Amino acid sequence: METEQRREEILETLKTRSTPIVARELATQFDVSRQVIVGDIALLRAAGEDIYSTPKGYMMRKAGSIDVIFQLVCVHTREETIEELYTIVDCGCEVMDVIVEHPLYGMMRGDLNISSRLEADEFFDKLNKSETLLLSTLTEGIHTHTIRAKDDATRDKCILSLKEKGFLYE
């Protein structure tokens, strides 16, 4: 299969799926290495395709989305991470990413794409099993989230809930 044809088929696969797909699965499907798929995805993104990474694999953003996207600066401990995520998703929002401002490297961002308690639990379990550090460890717990809400009322509810629980950095 030619490279361009494979990329077109990868794109079609992502457009038709409603669940994430990992690079390993795409590699098997197209009989190439995982690294080739990672490169294909990077080139598709560079060409303007709205492909994003989740902890469960790649997904395509659906066209026509008119959601409200906003950023909030938060602060909490590692142990409070799950409560922060629950607070956001319980309001009907999605935690798209986490961003920290590192004094040497500048902005560092990690995709999260968490929109349910189940996804929050899976993230927190993976965090605990890997014994890795959160990005916010680099900034004493201070971090920014990009959040997606379906409308202004949902956004306002999320902000109020996070403020009431003391998670907003002010």
Side-chain angles (χ1 to χ4, degrees):
M1 175 181 292
E2 294 294 322
T3 304
E4 281 305 312
Q5 181 185 356
R6 182 183 63 246
R7 290 183 188 139
E8 287 175 21
E9 289 188 26
I10 289 170
L11 195 54
E12 188 58 32
T13 299
L14 291 170
K15 285 179 178 179
T16 58
R17 283 182 64 116
S18 59
T19 58
I21 185 169
V22 294
R24 181 180 62 255
E25 187 177 335
L26 287 167
T28 300
Q29 180 179 337
F30 295 105
D31 196 30
V32 294
S33 71
R34 181 190 164 284
Q35 193 57 41
V36 167
I37 296 298
V38 170
D40 285 344
I41 296 291
L43 290 170
L44 287 167
R45 284 177 173 155
E49 297 298 339
D50 198 5
I51 301 168
Y52 65 100
S53 302
T54 75
K56 294 181 181 181
Y58 296 114
M59 287 192 74
M60 192 94 186
R61 291 204 202 281
K62 301 301 177 201
S65 174
I66 54 170
D67 297 334
V68 176
I69 297 176
F70 59 103
Q71 290 189 327
L72 294 174
V73 180
C74 299
V75 62
H76 58 75
T77 65
R78 177 187 176 107
E79 294 75 25
E80 293 171 320
T81 300
I82 193 69
E83 183 63 25
E84 178 209 38
L85 294 173
Y86 282 170
T87 301
I88 295 168
V89 301
D90 287 352
C91 290
C93 294
E94 175 188 358
V95 185
M96 297 173 66
D97 62 22
V98 61
I99 303 165
V100 296
E101 190 67 34
H102 190 273
L104 180 60
Y105 298 113
M107 186 176 78
M108 299 175 71
R109 177 180 167 271
D111 288 327
L112 296 177
N113 300 298
I114 296 172
S115 59
S116 70
R117 278 186 174 244
L118 176 62
E119 290 173 345
D121 287 339
E122 290 170 347
F123 173 81
F124 200 64
D125 288 345
K126 190 173 184 179
L127 170 67
N128 288 328
K129 286 178 183 169
S130 67
E131 298 181 19
T132 190
L133 299 175
L134 293 167
L135 278 178
S136 60
T137 304
L138 299 169
T139 55
E140 297 178 11
I142 300 169
H143 58 285
T144 300
H145 283 302
T146 306
I147 300 173
R148 179 192 318 271
K150 64 182 177 183
D151 53 36
D152 291 335
T154 304
R155 177 200 59 210
D156 295 346
K157 178 181 176 185
C158 180
I159 293 169
L160 181 61
S161 295
L162 288 168
K163 188 173 191 162
E164 287 173 350
K165 293 187 179 188
F167 291 135
L168 291 186
Y169 182 76
E170 301 182 85

